[in-house]
Amino acid sequence: MRELHARRSELATPASSERMCEKAPSSGADLVFLDLEDACAPSVKESARSIAVAALRELDWGRTVRAVRINGIDTPWCHGDIIEIVTGAQEHLDVLIVPKARTARDVWWVDVLLTQLETKLGMTKRIGLEVLIEEAEGLTNAAEIARASDRLEAIIFGAGDLSASLRARVDGNFDPAGDYPGDFWHFARVQVLAAARGAGIDAIDAPYPAYQDPEGYRRSATHASLLGFEGKWAIHPSQVPIANEVFAPSAAEIEEAQESMDVYRKSEAAGVGALGRGGKLVDAAHMRLAENVLYKAALARGEATEGNA
């Protein structure tokens, strides 16, 4: 069975900064990605690769998922990123994050190159993929992108570049620059979420640039969690504990889910398919919701497998 991971928090860390890389494993994030793309100026993108490899190989990451965000496949750095990072890190790398995916073919290209490298290097561990949906073309092709490779573990809603691609009028936090009725990003979020669910993979919410606004981050994370997202990017370590809390079921939710399942299973065994509990109907649909809660709780504890997904 494939090992499954919690993705409540995914912390961005500049791959060019040895100091920040050294601090990342102690952040408490479920996943840390060393960023070769937006966090690195063009002049340091190539030199940052060796820093990332050293961090992946030499630091104690514990249960943290180790990832690297490569540069886009339309850049002169992407091929070298994949070759050097995978060759250098090998089994010390869990996931590659592919930015600005526009079509399924973009993901296929990375998959093929990874397969060739793993074979050449004699690797027994298979590297997973996460893909960013942050271009208008990628958003329209999200469902196909999500099914493009069996390496895919998650797709990520990227509000920043999507704002530019859509020519939206937003502020530095990717919020509308004027009055707007309702949730500005609701439709795009649901498109990404539905694509992920259709492919049986995770959905991760966009970063929240205003890192000195913890309540704003909590509000944004809560909205994404209510929709069904597994987690959210963090651009600062202070955002990690908020995401970990928001995207994990509370003790009360876990207790309610377990009790509902216990009562329903007993009634089911007696030939009853639906029952009243606390003044509310409980049926098979509620059991699916309860199973979701218990599965997320198992992920947060590091106990989930494909068998209980």
Side-chain angles (χ1 to χ4, degrees):
M1 288 186 181
R2 177 171 62 94
E3 184 179 0
L4 301 177
H5 304 284
R7 283 181 165 84
R8 299 167 299 173
S9 53
E10 296 199 350
L11 177 63
T13 303
S16 57
S17 172
E18 292 184 28
R19 179 180 63 84
M20 290 186 181
C21 288
E22 288 173 357
K23 290 184 176 181
S26 61
S27 66
D30 289 331
L31 179 149
V32 169
F33 66 92
L34 308 182
D35 191 12
L36 293 170
E37 197 208 16
D38 288 350
C40 289
S43 60
V44 299
K45 285 185 182 292
E46 294 184 4
S47 61
R49 296 169 186 161
S50 61
I51 296 174
V53 168
L56 292 168
R57 294 188 67 92
E58 297 170 9
L59 300 177
D60 181 2
W61 292 91
R63 285 175 48 194
T64 302
V65 179
R66 301 157 296 181
V68 170
R69 177 164 68 162
I70 59 175
N71 287 281
I73 69 166
D74 59 346
T75 71
W77 301 288
C78 180
H79 182 268
D81 287 346
I82 298 173
I83 297 293
E84 291 191 35
I85 293 296
V86 175
T87 301
Q90 297 193 28
E91 70 275 7
H92 300 280
L93 175 68
D94 300 311
V95 171
L96 279 182
I97 299 178
V98 183
K100 298 179 178 65
R102 291 175 170 83
T103 68
R105 187 173 178 84
D106 295 344
V107 182
W108 173 85
W109 182 86
V110 177
D111 187 340
V112 169
L113 182 53
L114 278 177
T115 299
Q116 292 174 345
L117 274 172
E118 290 166 347
T119 301
K120 177 182 177 180
L121 297 169
M123 292 174 58
T124 56
K125 176 180 178 177
R126 201 160 186 251
I127 296 169
L129 291 176
E130 294 188 7
V131 173
L132 275 150
I133 305 296
E134 52 184 344
E135 296 288 334
E137 185 180 3
L139 189 62
T140 62
N141 293 324
E144 294 176 10
I145 290 170
R147 293 182 171 92
S149 167
D150 61 3
R151 293 180 186 271
L152 267 174
E153 299 178 5
I155 55 174
I156 306 154
F157 168 51
D161 279 290
L162 185 59
S163 298
S165 183
L166 295 174
R167 301 178 186 172
R169 297 175 64 185
V170 297
D171 61 21
N173 209 47
F174 315 135
D175 292 322
D179 290 335
Y180 185 87
D183 183 346
F184 190 76
W185 289 116
H186 178 77
F187 179 65
R189 272 193 172 115
V190 172
Q191 280 184 285
V192 172
L193 179 63
R197 290 293 169 268
I201 61 177
D202 291 343
I204 308 300
D205 192 40
Y208 190 86
Y211 62 87
Q212 292 185 328
D213 178 15
E215 288 311 309
Y217 182 84
R218 179 180 293 275
R219 183 170 55 252
S220 179
T222 299
H223 291 169
S225 175
L226 291 172
L227 277 174
F229 280 75
E230 269 75 27
K232 186 174 181 66
W233 270 18
I235 63 163
H236 191 276
S238 64
Q239 295 176 332
V240 168
I242 300 174
N244 286 348
E245 177 189 344
V246 168
F247 288 97
S250 67
E253 288 175 313
I254 296 170
E255 182 179 6
E256 171 64 20
Q258 190 62 64
E259 288 182 0
S260 293
M261 288 194 70
D262 291 344
V263 170
Y264 182 81
R265 296 308 180 205
K266 289 180 181 178
S267 298
E268 189 178 45
V272 178
L275 67 148
R277 181 171 179 266
K280 298 178 182 178
L281 177 72
V282 177
D283 61 11
H286 293 88
M287 291 305 95
R288 292 179 67 185
L289 293 171
E291 287 168 357
N292 288 342
V293 171
L294 298 178
Y295 171 63
K296 288 183 177 182
L299 273 178
R301 296 192 303 268
E303 299 173 359
T305 67
E306 284 187 313
N308 60 14

